[in-house]
Structure formats: structure tokens, C-alpha cells
């Protein structure tokens, strides 16, 4: 039986090629994902670990006490504390570390390093071991800065050049005093790093006389743990916490691994979808292969082979196919992993240098997935073949499915579908934790529709009959062939259905979210422009002052954040210009009026409900500096993701803030939003690359970019599943042509020419593909609606928008898939020798 199984594999190489390709693509996706994420994770871990080589123990301010409770105010790391750490027994030296956001512009005025990877810090003394100088000297004063070598090279800066940069708003123009090298992971990944002398860094980053961290080097012969113990004994535990360099490196590695796990899981989900689609193709292929060899298997049963041996022979074939697919898929996956890493560079994202990581786990996963998926998919056809009595198989009595089996299948499919719809509808009514039930309902519904697909194929394909009549005999035969074996048609169409379901669902959600965001920006903001930092960090109060003094500005207000305590809870307040905020926002007020000034404040619905406030309610606020003041609720408004919380006048909030800073500044101009007004604002702010001046459309487009990027990624990833589905259509048609060789020969003999045969096969493929497309788009719209109902509970402006144009394109693409998939099978059918085909068994 073993030799027979291997002979069958080698005898039917062409028939199994598409199956190998389908499995190989799925395996390649899985192994490529594992190689890519392992390589990136390893590169970042090694790069970040280098940054901790010069740190034996890090001293940081503590944010909570020994019992895990948050301290009232974050302690400061002072110079006295640094000197004390440097004198601890076993300490060789101590370095004060200051860090913050620093945006560097290139010579064209464009931001270098990206919005979130532009960092700044301090250079310690005249020779900082952390940052070896390549050229120049240590910075002195606010007019000198150091740049990392990668940024200097990208931006074209040399020692002596003047560079434009910004920390929290105003533009600075220091001279490049020197260029240094660094192992910083962000710089290795394409970011920038600018260094000032310590006093300047402390002033720029709002840390006057203090540090973010103190790094202590151990003396020769002193271990990290011993130095940590000495520091713990010498330094006040209520102010600081200590961590060894090894622990920092381990924590960083764990954090990087955790951040990569999300990407890995996402990619593996899409790989699973491709494999799920491929499972249909494998099962379909082996079902057809077994059906074509029914008499052969019956003869083997007649000469003494047991049912178990017949099933085993089919599984051996599947093992061989899976092994070949696993090996080739692993090789392709390694190439995909390397390609994805290179692709990051084309998108402007750099990755630290490092080797391609191919772990034993990746190899084992690729082979296991290829072999197990193939064998599982082939098990049912093999078992079904073994159960056929030899006499029945030889006389083809078994060929048609019994009425009982079809009734059972349809009943089961109806139950699964009904359960899926019920669970999804129930999930849409939940206010929280509905993702799990929604996912379960989606899986149940897809399984139910798949089981019901043979039943659905007849009426839906029959609907295409009027169009197919236009093609005469070829069209009539194509329709009959499509519904002749509903199970085969269902398995072929379902592969395409799953891909289009997910693509359509994501498209519906993305289009609806875009419309909702546009409505939110339009309904909540009256301001013409919103000014903010590129990294969404805090703005210097100077920015609001410059904006207010700009010609053409009729109203402006900074949105200033301040931490406070209300009824024992931490609450963040938003300070605004009470006289101008009403002209800059258009929030719906449910109770009272939108009046901010003096002791009057406005609160959103969520805060009012949480604290039980109504218009006229009084509450006590404990500010950051410990002072307390009573405020009165003047109005309650409907908040959203852009504007929410407790608003009070900046004249009340600012005196209690140690270091005032704004999250954004809202601006209204005399001439409204225009290119000239935007240019005027940007020039007033020094044409600063770190500051964004955005109108409502810019804000919507910026948010939409994220959805567009995700949607394009989904299209690309699900494209793999669609390719697998195309292979399934090709495979089914090719084997169907082989199975119907005698029939095609008879049709040729009675007058059907080659063109008509080609047309028949193409139309059959087109009908099956469009059937899968219609089912996929229908399910996708339903899933998109259901997911939107969940989003609607958190986004009041959400409304369902059906992308009719894109759905038409998806249906058209399904038709194109059908036409392309039929090219080879149609050509093969038309070239059959009619006499040889008629004589074929």
C-alpha cells in the first residue's frame, strides 16, 4: 500500500501541483511571518542591549510606594542625589541623564527622523562615554548641539553648520558642534538624536537642576547586584528605585518581544486565513482524486486491502504532498521574511542591522503546518472512499449523494447560520466586551454558509441563466456543469468567498469610520486651524502667544492640561480661554450653557454621570500645587474623541501649574481656512517643522491615514488568500476537465468546436467565481454593519456607509479571477483528442 501510494503521487504530478502550490503559499506566509518578526525583534533587542552596556545600575524616581500606591508628586533626581550615588562604595562614576523630544529639520526645512522618533538629550561633561565623538567637540551653551552621525549624513550637516530644531515650539538655530555615534535603537531604526550640554538640556526639557535618570558605573571587581544593594542602602527608597543594567536589558528585550507579538499575531491570523482557504482546495482535490480512482480503490479492496489500508494510502499521498509543500514553503517564507524587512526601508522605516533569524521553531512550524493541514484535509475523502463497498464502487452506484445526506447537511448548515446570526445580533446590543461574541458569531455564520453553499448554488447560479443563454450551447452547458456537482462548486466558491468577505467587511468599516471622523471634526470644531506638535507632545505657552498676536487671527485658545484630584480621584483638567472657546467649538450642550470663566466650568456627560453632577453643582478641585478651589458646573456637553473632560478658564488653572504646557491651540481667522492664512500662521511660528498647522480636513485625513494604511495592509495580506482561491479554481477546473474527458470528446464529435469548448469552461469558471463573490460581498456587508453597531456605541457620529463603487470593483475582480483561472483548463479541454477522449475510461 505504501508503494502504491507513492506511485500514485508520482503518476499524478500535474494534478497535485496546484495543491502543492496552495499549501506552499500558506506555509510560506506562516514561515515568512515568523522569520520576519524574529529577525526584527532580534535586531532591536541586540541594538537596545548595546545601549545598556555602559549602565550597571540605573536610578529612577519612584512613581509608587512599597505597597504599589501612587505617590502624590513624582520625586526629583537632584544634583545632590547624583553626588551621593557617585560616592557609594563600589561606584566608579555617576551620570545624570536628561531626555525629551527634539525635532531636527534638514536643509530643506523638512522633519528628520519621523514624528515619534525625534529625540534629544544631554552630553555629560567634555567626554561622554555613551556617545563617542566622530568629529568636533562637546557642546557648550544653548548655541551648540551635537547630532548623531546617521542624522547628520541624511540631512547633509557638518561641524560648523547651523541647524534648525525645536523642543516644544519655538525654533532654535544652534551650531553643530560635533557628530557622534550611538547604539540607540531609535536612531538605528531611522530616528534622530540631538544632544545639548547638561544645563541647556535641563532648561529646554523643563528639568531645571534635575535629571530623568542617574546611570551609575560599577568599579572594577564590583558586581551589578552588589552596587544595586549599596545604592538601595544609601539612597532614600521613598524617592528612587534602582535597576541593574542587566535587568534593564532584559526588560527592554521583553518589551520589544511583546510589541512584536501583536504584529506576529496579526500576520499569523492572515496566514491562517490563507491556510483555511487552502484547506478547501486540498479537500476538494483529494475528493476528486479519490473519485477518479474509485474503481482502482475498489479493486484493491476486492483483492484484500482493508478500509484502514485504503485510508492510510490516501494519507500517505497527503503526507508526501504536505512534505514537499512544507519544504518549498519554508524556502519561500525565508525569502518573504527577507523581502518584508527590505520593504520597510522603501516605506522610510529603517531597521537595526542584524542577521536573518531562522529558528528551529520556524522550521518545525513550517513542516508541521504543511504536513498536518494537508493530511487533515485529505482524511475525510480517504475515509469516505474506504467506506464504499467494492461492488458499488465498480458499478458507480455510490456516485450520487443520498437525499438523507443532503437533508442532514442543509439542516446542520441552517442551524450553524442561525446560531451565528443570533450571536452577532446579540453582540451588537452589548455595551462592552462584545468582541469575543462577535468573533464567535462570525465563525459560526461562515461555517454555516459554507455548509449551505451547495443548496445556495442552484438558485444563485440559475439567476445567471438569462445571461448565459446569450452564449448559446456553451452557456447552457456551463450552467449545467456548475450545478452538476454542488459540493464541488461550493468548495471552490467558498475559498473565494472567505477572502472577499473579509475584504468587503474591512472596506465597509473603513469608509464608515472616515465619514464619522469627518462629521466629528465638522460638528465639534468651529476653529479654522488647530496647532499642535508633530509628536502630539506638549507645546510651549509661547506658541499660543505668538498665534494670538498674528495678523488676521480673530480668536484663539490654548488647550492646557493640568492634573488634579477630585473626590480622591485623579482627574485631568483642560484649561481654555474662557472668552474665546465658545467661538472655536460647536459642542452640543445638553444642560445649562457653554460658559467658561471664573469659577464656572463645563463638563462632559461621562464626568457628570460619574460624579452625579448637574448644572449648578459645586465641586472642589485640588490642584497640582496642593491648593483647593470650588468650581461650579455651568453646563454639560456631549464629549467625543477630540474634545472631552472638564474645562475651566486658564486664568484659574495656570497659576497652579509648575510647568504650564499646551496640547494644542485652536485658531479662528478673519478670512477662514485658506492657503494664505495657513502660510501666515506657519511663518509666525518660524516655519517650524515640529509644529503642525491643520484645518478640519487635514485632521480628518491624518486620522484616516491610519485606517487607509491598515486597509491597504489587509488588502495585501488577504491577497494571499485570493491567490490561493485562484489556484483552487484552476485546480478544480483542470481536474473537472480530466474527469469529463469522455464527455468533452463526445461534444466535439457531435459538432462543438474548440472555441465553444473553451467558452464553456471559461463561463463555468466565471459563474463559480461570481457566485463566491456575491456570497463574500453579502457576508462582508453584514459583518461590516455588525462591527459598526459596536463602534456606534463609542462614536456617536458613526453611520453605515456602503462603498458601492468598491463593491462593484470587488465583484468585477471576482469575475476576472474566474476568467484568468480558466485560461489553462479551457485550453487543455479544447486540445483534447476527441477519439482518445471517447475511448477514455
Amino acid at each position: 500500500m505504501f508503494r502504491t501510494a507513492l506511485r500514485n503521487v508520482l503518476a499524478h504530478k500535474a494534478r497535485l501541483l496546484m495543491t502543492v502550490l496552495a499549501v506552499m503559499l500558506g506555509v510560506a506566509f506562516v514561515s515568512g511571518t515568523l522569520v520576519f518578526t524574529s529577525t526584527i525583534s532580534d535586531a532591536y533587542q541586540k541594538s537596545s542591549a548595546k545601549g545598556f552596556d555602559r549602565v550597571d545600575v540605573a536610578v529612577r524616581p519612584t512613581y509608587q510606594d512599597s505597597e504599589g500606591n501612587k505617590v502624590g508628586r513624582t520625586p526629583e533626581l537632584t544634583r545632590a542625589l547624583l553626588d551621593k550615588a557617585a560616592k557609594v562604595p563600589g561606584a566608579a562614576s555617576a551620570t545624570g541623564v536628561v531626555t525629551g523630544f527634539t525635532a531636527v529639520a534638514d536643509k530643506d526645512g523638512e522633519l528628520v527622523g519621523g514624528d515619534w522618533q525625534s529625540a534629544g538629550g544631554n552630553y555629560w561633561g567634555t567626554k561622554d562615554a555613551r556617545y563617542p565623538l566622530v568629529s568636533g567637540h562637546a557642546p557648550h551653551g544653548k548655541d551648540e548641539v551635537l547630532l548623531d552621525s546617521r542624522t547628520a549624513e541624511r540631512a547633509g550637516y557638518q561641524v560648523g553648520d547651523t541647524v534648525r530644531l525645536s523642543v516644544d515650539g519655538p525654533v532654535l538655530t544652534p551650531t553643530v558642534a560635533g557628530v557622534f555615534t550611538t547604539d540607540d535603537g531609535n536612531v538605528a531604526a531611522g530616528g534622530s538624536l540631538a544632544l545639548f550640554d547638561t544645563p541647556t538640556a535641563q532648561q529646554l526639557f523643563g528639568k531645571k537642576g534635575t535629571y530623568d535618570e542617574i546611570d551609575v558605573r560599577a568599579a572594577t571587581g564590583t558586581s551589578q547586584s552588589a552596587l544595586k544593594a549599596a545604592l538601595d542602602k544609601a539612597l532614600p527608597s521613598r524617592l528612587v528605585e534602582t535597576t541593574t543594567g542587566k535587568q534593564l536589558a532584559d526588560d527592554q528585550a521583553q518589551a520589544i518581544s511583546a510589541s512584536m507579538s501583536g504584529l506576529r499575531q496579526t500576520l499569523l491570523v492572515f496566514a491562517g486565513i490563507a491556510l483555511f482557504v487552502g484547506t478547501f482546495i486540498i479537500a476538494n482535490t483529494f475528493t476528486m482524486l479519490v473519485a477518479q480512482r474509485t474503481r482502482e480503490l475498489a479493486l484493491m479492496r476486492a483483492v484484500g486491502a482493508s478500509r484502514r489500508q485504503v485510508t492510510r494510502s490516501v494519507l500517505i499521498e497527503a503526507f508526501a504532498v504536505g512534505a514537499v509543500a512544507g519544504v518549498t514553503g519554508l524556502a519561500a517564507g525565508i525569502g518573504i521574511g527577507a523581502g518584508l524587512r527590505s520593504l520597510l526601508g522603501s516605506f522610510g522605516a529603517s531597521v537595526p542591522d542584524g542577521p536573518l533569524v531562522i529558528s528551529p521553531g520556524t522550521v518545525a512550524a513550517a513542516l508541521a503546518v504543511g504536513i498536518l493541514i494537508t493530511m487533515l484535509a485529505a482524511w475525510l475523502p480517504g475515509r469516505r472512499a474506504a467506506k464504499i463497498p467494492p461492488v458499488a464502487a465498480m458499478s458507480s452506484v455510490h456516485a450520487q449523494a443520498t437525499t438523507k445526506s443532503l437533508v442532514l447537511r442543509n439542516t446542520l448548515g441552517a442551524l450553524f447560520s442561525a446560531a451565528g446570526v443570533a450571536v452577532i445580533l446579540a453582540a451588537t446590543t452589548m455595551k462592552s466586551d462584545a468582541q469575543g461574541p462577535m468573533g464567535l458569531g462570525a465563525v459560526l455564520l461562515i461555517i454555516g454558509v459554507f455548509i449551505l453553499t451547495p443548496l445556495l448554488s442552484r438558485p444563485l447560479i440559475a439567476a445567471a441563466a438569462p445571461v448565459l443563454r446569450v452564449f448559446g450551447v456553451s452557456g447552457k452547458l456551463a450552467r449545467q456543469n456548475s450545478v452538476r456537482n454542488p459540493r464541488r462548486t461550493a468548495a471552490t466558491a467558498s475559498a473565494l468567498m472567505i477572502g472577499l468577505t473579509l475584504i468587503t467587511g474591512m472596506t465597509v468599516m473603513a469608509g464608515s469610520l472616515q465619514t464619522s471622523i469627518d462629521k466629528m471634526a465638522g460638528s465639534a470644531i468651529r476653529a479654522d486651524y488647530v496647532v499642535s506638535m508633530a509628536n502630539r507632545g506638549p507645546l510651549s505657552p509661547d506658541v499660543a502667544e505668538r498665534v494670538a498676536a498674528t495678523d488676521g487671527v480673530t480668536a484663539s485658545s490654548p488647550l492646557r492640561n493640568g492634573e488634579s484630584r477630585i473626590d480622591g480621584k485623579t482627574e485631568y483638567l483642560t484649561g481654555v480661554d474662557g472668552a474665546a472657546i465658545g467661538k472655536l467649538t460647536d459642542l452640543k450642550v445638553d444642560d445649562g450653557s457653554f460658559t467658561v470663566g471664573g469659577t464656572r466650568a463645563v463638563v462632559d456627560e461621562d464626568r457628570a454621570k460619574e460624579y452625579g453632577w448637574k448644572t449648578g453643582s459645586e465641586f472642589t478641585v485640588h490642584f497640582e500645587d496642593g491648593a483647593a478651589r470650588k468650581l461650579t458646573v455651568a453646563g454639560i456637553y456631549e464629549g467625543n474623541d477630540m474634545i472631552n473632560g472638564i474645562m475651566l478658564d486658564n486664568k484659574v488653572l495656570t497659576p497652579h501649574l509648575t510647568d504650564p504646557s499646551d496640547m494644542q491651540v485652536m485658531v479662528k481667522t478673519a478670512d477662514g481656512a485658506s492657503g494664505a492664512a495657513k502660510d501666515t500662521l506657519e511663518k509666525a511660528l518660524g516655519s517650524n517643522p515640529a509644529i503642525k498647522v491643520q484645518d478640519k480636513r487635514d485632521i480628518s485625513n491624518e486620522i484616516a491615514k491610519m485606517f487607509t494604511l491598515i486597509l491597504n495592509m489587509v488588502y495585501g495580506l488577504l491577497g494571499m488568500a485570493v491567490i490561493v482561491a485562484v489556484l483552487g479554481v484552476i485546480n478544480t477546473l483542470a481536474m473537472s476537465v480530466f474527469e469529463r474527458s469522455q464527455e468533452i470528446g463526445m461534444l466535439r464529435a457531435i459538432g462543438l468546436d474548440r472555441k465553444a469548448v473553451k467558452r464553456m469552461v471559461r463561463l463555468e469558471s466565471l459563474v463559480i467565481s461570481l457566485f463566491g463573490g456575491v456570497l463574500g460581498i453579502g457576508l462582508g456587508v453584514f459583518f461590516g454593519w455588525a462591527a459598526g453597531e459596536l463602534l456606534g456605541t463609542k462614536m456617536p457620529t458613526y453611520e453605515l456607509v456602503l462603498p458601492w463603487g468598491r463593491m462593484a470593483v470587488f465583484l468585477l475582480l471576482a469575475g476576472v479571477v474566474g476568467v484568468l483561472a480558466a485560461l489553462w483548463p479551457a485550453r487543455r479541454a479544447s486540445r483534447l483528442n476527441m477519439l482518445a477522449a471517447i475511448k477514455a475510461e
Side-chain angles (χ1 to χ4, degrees):
M1 294 301 293
F2 180 76
R3 288 197 300 271
T4 302
L6 291 181
R7 185 202 65 199
N8 286 327
V9 172
L10 297 174
H12 304 125
K13 291 186 291 289
R15 278 185 277 173
L16 291 170
L17 177 62
M18 295 299 173
T19 305
V20 171
L21 285 174
V23 182
M24 184 199 76
L25 283 174
V27 172
F29 207 158
V30 171
S31 54
T33 295
L34 295 174
V35 168
F36 171 66
T37 53
S38 297
T39 298
I40 300 300
S41 180
D42 181 74
Y44 274 113
Q45 286 178 19
K46 288 181 177 177
S47 177
S48 64
K50 290 179 182 177
F52 297 114
D53 286 347
R54 299 181 184 90
V55 180
D56 289 315
V57 178
V59 180
R60 294 172 173 172
T62 183
Y63 295 93
Q64 57 188 24
D65 58 27
S66 58
E67 297 179 357
N69 300 314
K70 183 178 178 182
V71 298
R73 185 176 177 184
T74 304
E76 294 180 338
L77 302 182
T78 61
R79 179 73 195 198
L81 205 61
L82 183 143
D83 292 338
K84 192 172 184 179
K87 295 176 182 177
V88 166
S93 63
T95 302
V97 179
V98 183
T99 57
F101 172 74
T102 302
V104 178
D106 61 20
K107 291 188 175 181
D108 296 324
E110 299 298 324
L111 186 65
V112 181
D115 297 352
W116 300 96
Q117 296 174 326
S118 303
N122 68 311
Y123 189 83
W124 189 255
T126 57
K127 190 174 182 181
D128 193 331
R130 299 173 299 168
Y131 308 111
L133 288 173
V134 176
S135 59
H137 58 80
H140 299 287
K142 63 180 181 179
D143 294 326
E144 290 188 341
V145 68
L146 300 181
L147 294 180
D148 70 88
S149 56
R150 296 192 185 206
T151 297
E153 183 179 353
R154 288 203 310 270
Y157 287 121
Q158 296 179 345
V159 175
D161 290 345
T162 299
V163 59
R164 290 169 56 81
L165 54 83
S166 173
V167 172
D168 60 358
V171 176
L172 305 175
T173 54
T175 301
V176 178
V179 176
F180 64 92
T181 59
T182 177
D183 294 321
D184 188 285
N186 282 332
V187 174
S192 64
L193 180 60
L195 300 179
F196 308 90
D197 67 11
T198 300
T200 301
Q202 289 174 325
Q203 182 181 1
L204 290 175
F205 300 136
K207 313 282 175 57
K208 295 180 181 178
T210 64
Y211 310 96
D212 293 301
E213 180 177 305
I214 297 173
D215 292 342
V216 185
R217 290 281 287 170
T220 304
T222 303
S223 67
Q224 290 186 354
S225 57
L227 178 59
K228 180 182 183 304
L231 287 167
D232 287 339
K233 185 177 181 180
L235 302 180
S237 60
R238 60 185 176 83
L239 296 179
V240 299
E241 58 184 3
T242 58
T243 311
T244 63
K246 183 180 183 304
Q247 184 62 49
L248 288 173
D250 292 342
D251 291 345
Q252 183 79 353
Q254 188 175 357
I256 291 170
S257 180
S259 66
M260 293 302 297
S261 68
L263 175 63
R264 183 184 296 116
Q265 289 172 5
T266 301
L267 293 174
L268 286 175
V269 165
F270 288 103
I273 292 168
L275 284 169
F276 185 57
V277 172
T279 302
F280 292 125
I281 298 169
I282 299 163
N284 208 19
T285 300
F286 276 93
T287 298
M288 296 170 70
L289 285 173
V290 168
Q292 291 169 10
R293 288 166 34 215
T294 300
R295 291 191 178 184
E296 175 189 331
L297 294 174
L299 183 60
M300 291 170 62
R301 288 287 312 282
V303 297
S306 66
R307 287 184 178 183
R308 189 172 295 177
Q309 285 178 309
V310 171
T311 303
R312 196 181 301 142
S313 70
V314 175
L315 291 178
I316 290 171
E317 291 182 50
F319 176 84
V321 171
V324 172
V327 172
T328 54
L330 175 61
I334 294 171
I336 289 174
L340 285 173
R341 178 174 173 172
S342 300
L343 192 62
L344 286 179
S346 66
F347 288 139
S350 301
V351 179
D353 296 331
L356 205 63
V357 178
I358 307 166
S359 66
T362 300
V363 176
L367 294 177
V369 166
I371 294 170
L372 289 177
I373 291 293
T374 309
M375 292 183 70
L376 284 173
W379 175 76
L380 189 59
R383 183 172 176 272
R384 191 182 299 142
K387 291 175 69 174
I388 301 170
V391 175
M394 289 180 180
S395 59
S396 298
V397 174
H398 70 292
Q400 297 297 323
T402 64
T403 304
K404 180 181 178 182
S405 68
L406 291 175
V407 170
L408 179 63
R409 178 179 181 129
N410 294 337
T411 303
L412 192 62
L415 290 174
F416 267 97
S417 299
V421 171
V423 172
I424 290 174
L425 292 178
T428 59
T429 63
M430 296 180 182
K431 293 184 178 180
S432 61
D433 299 327
Q435 293 88 343
M438 183 72 74
L440 174 62
V443 171
L444 290 173
L445 182 55
I446 287 178
I447 292 173
V449 171
F450 169 67
I451 296 173
L452 285 176
T453 307
L455 178 66
L456 298 173
S457 64
R458 289 186 179 277
L460 288 178
I461 292 176
V467 178
L468 292 174
R469 287 196 193 102
V470 176
F471 299 96
V473 175
S474 296
K476 184 178 180 181
L477 290 171
R479 186 184 66 81
Q480 292 175 345
N481 289 334
S482 300
V483 297
R484 176 187 296 180
N485 192 331
R487 290 184 175 180
R488 181 187 302 167
T489 299
T492 306
S494 295
L496 193 58
M497 176 192 78
I498 292 170
L500 284 177
T501 294
L502 296 168
I503 289 174
T504 304
M506 290 296 296
T507 303
V508 170
M509 285 182 60
S512 301
L513 280 170
Q514 177 62 63
T515 302
S516 304
I517 292 165
D518 291 344
K519 285 180 65 178
M520 184 188 298
S523 62
I525 301 175
R526 283 183 185 170
D528 296 316
Y529 293 101
V530 174
V531 179
S532 62
M533 289 292 287
N535 71 330
R536 296 299 179 192
L539 279 165
S540 167
D542 294 348
V543 173
E545 294 174 6
R546 291 191 185 189
V547 167
T550 303
D551 291 338
V553 172
T554 58
S556 67
S557 172
L559 269 64
R560 186 164 297 168
N561 276 5
E563 186 177 349
S564 71
R565 302 281 289 179
I566 299 176
D567 292 347
K569 298 178 182 178
T570 299
E571 195 70 61
Y572 286 91
L573 308 174
T574 301
V576 298
D577 185 324
I581 192 65
K583 304 173 186 177
L584 300 167
T585 58
D586 191 18
L587 297 165
K588 183 180 178 182
V589 180
D590 294 331
D591 188 18
S593 62
F594 201 84
T595 306
V596 180
T599 60
R600 291 170 299 176
V602 292
V603 300
D604 64 0
E605 291 177 321
D606 292 340
R607 302 302 189 291
K609 186 176 180 181
E610 180 182 353
Y611 292 103
W613 294 335
K614 296 179 180 178
T615 300
S617 296
E618 291 187 344
F619 60 97
T620 302
V621 173
H622 295 271
F623 293 104
E624 181 182 305
D625 62 354
R629 185 163 183 178
K630 278 190 175 182
L631 299 178
T632 303
V633 177
I636 298 173
Y637 67 93
E638 290 185 7
N640 55 48
D641 289 340
M642 301 183 74
I643 301 176
N644 57 60
I646 301 171
M647 289 190 198
L648 69 161
D649 199 297
N650 270 324
K651 293 177 183 177
V652 177
L653 176 63
T654 303
H656 302 287
L657 300 180
T658 305
D659 184 22
S661 61
D662 304 323
M663 294 310 296
Q664 58 186 35
V665 179
M666 304 179 79
V667 188
K668 196 165 185 64
T669 60
D671 299 327
S674 65
K678 186 174 183 178
D679 287 343
T680 300
L681 283 170
E682 289 178 341
K683 287 178 181 178
L685 296 171
S687 300
N688 193 329
I691 295 181
K692 293 181 179 179
V693 179
Q694 298 174 299
D695 59 19
K696 296 176 189 177
R697 173 53 54 186
D698 293 332
I699 294 171
S700 295
N701 289 341
E702 184 178 53
I703 299 172
K705 274 183 182 179
M706 178 178 66
F707 296 114
T708 303
L709 176 62
I710 293 172
L711 192 62
N712 289 336
M713 285 181 62
V714 169
Y715 285 161
L717 294 169
L718 290 178
M720 182 72 73
V722 174
I723 292 172
V724 174
V726 171
L727 291 174
V729 177
I730 295 172
N731 206 18
T732 299
L733 288 174
M735 299 186 74
S736 179
V737 166
F738 178 83
E739 191 178 67
R740 289 164 18 212
S741 296
Q742 192 176 56
E743 174 189 323
I744 293 171
M746 289 293 293
L747 290 172
R748 289 289 315 283
I750 62 175
L752 198 68
D753 59 18
R754 289 187 173 184
K755 286 185 178 180
V757 170
K758 282 184 179 181
R759 192 180 304 122
M760 175 187 72
V761 177
R762 288 171 184 162
L763 289 173
E764 181 183 348
S765 175
L766 180 62
V767 167
I768 293 173
S769 297
L770 288 176
F771 170 54
V774 169
L775 285 180
I777 292 171
L779 280 174
V781 169
F782 178 69
F783 290 147
W785 166 82
E789 289 295 299
L790 286 183
L791 289 172
T793 59
K794 301 177 181 178
M795 188 180 290
T797 57
Y798 184 87
E799 65 173 280
L800 180 67
V801 177
L802 295 181
W804 295 106
R806 289 204 176 189
M807 289 193 295
V809 170
F810 295 156
L811 193 60
L812 179 63
L813 287 175
V816 171
V817 164
V819 172
L820 294 176
L823 290 178
W824 177 59
R827 182 170 178 270
R828 182 182 179 188
S830 67
R831 297 182 67 181
L832 283 175
N833 184 297
M834 67 180 75
L835 294 179
I838 291 171
K839 291 190 296 180
E841 286 289 335

